[in-house]
């Protein structure tokens, strides 16, 4: 690095430091800890799906797959999944 480049780098660094607040280790820890406390995440309760709704969904999927001309083995797989759910 030439002298000119070194002086420019030093000037850029000084400008950067002047724009940024310099924190102590304790201040950084307090800032990060405060950010973590702000993340109050409320868990979302999953929607409960009834047995009849699940069967209706399988029936709809089977009907749709037939209308879309799915392969026979794909339609059979959906039928098997439905049957397994009913047991």
């Amino acid at each position: 690095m030439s002298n000119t480049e070194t002086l420019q780098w030093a000037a850029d660094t000084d400008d950067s430091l002047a724009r940024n607040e310099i924190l102590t280790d304790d201040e950084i820890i307090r800032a990060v800890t405060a950010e973590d406390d702000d993340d109050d995440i409320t868990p979302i309760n999953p929607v409960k799906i009834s047995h009849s709704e699940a069967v209706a969904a399988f029936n709809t999927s089977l009907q749709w797959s037939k209308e879309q001309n799915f392969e026979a083995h794909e339609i059979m797989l959906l039928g098997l999944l439905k049957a397994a759910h009913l047991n």
Side-chain angles (χ1 to χ4, degrees):
M1 188 179 276
S2 71
N3 286 342
T4 304
E5 290 172 328
T6 302
L7 290 173
Q8 182 60 47
W9 176 82
D12 291 344
T13 302
D14 288 343
D15 289 344
S16 176
L17 289 174
R19 288 189 303 263
N20 295 316
E21 180 182 1
I22 300 192
L23 303 174
T24 66
D25 291 345
D26 289 335
E27 290 170 328
I28 293 169
I29 291 169
R30 278 194 296 274
V32 171
T33 304
E35 288 174 10
D36 289 345
D37 292 342
D38 293 340
D39 295 337
D40 294 331
I41 299 173
T42 305
I44 298 174
N45 295 330
V47 176
K48 300 292 183 187
I49 299 173
S50 69
H51 180 79
S52 59
E53 290 174 316
V55 171
F58 272 117
N59 288 336
T60 302
S61 298
L62 279 167
Q63 181 63 37
W64 179 80
S65 65
K66 291 174 185 175
E67 291 172 2
Q68 300 301 314
N69 297 319
F70 274 42
E71 300 280 330
H73 69 275
E74 294 169 324
I75 295 170
M76 287 172 41
L77 178 60
L78 285 173
L80 289 171
L81 288 170
K82 177 184 171 187
H85 175 71
L86 293 174
N87 290 335

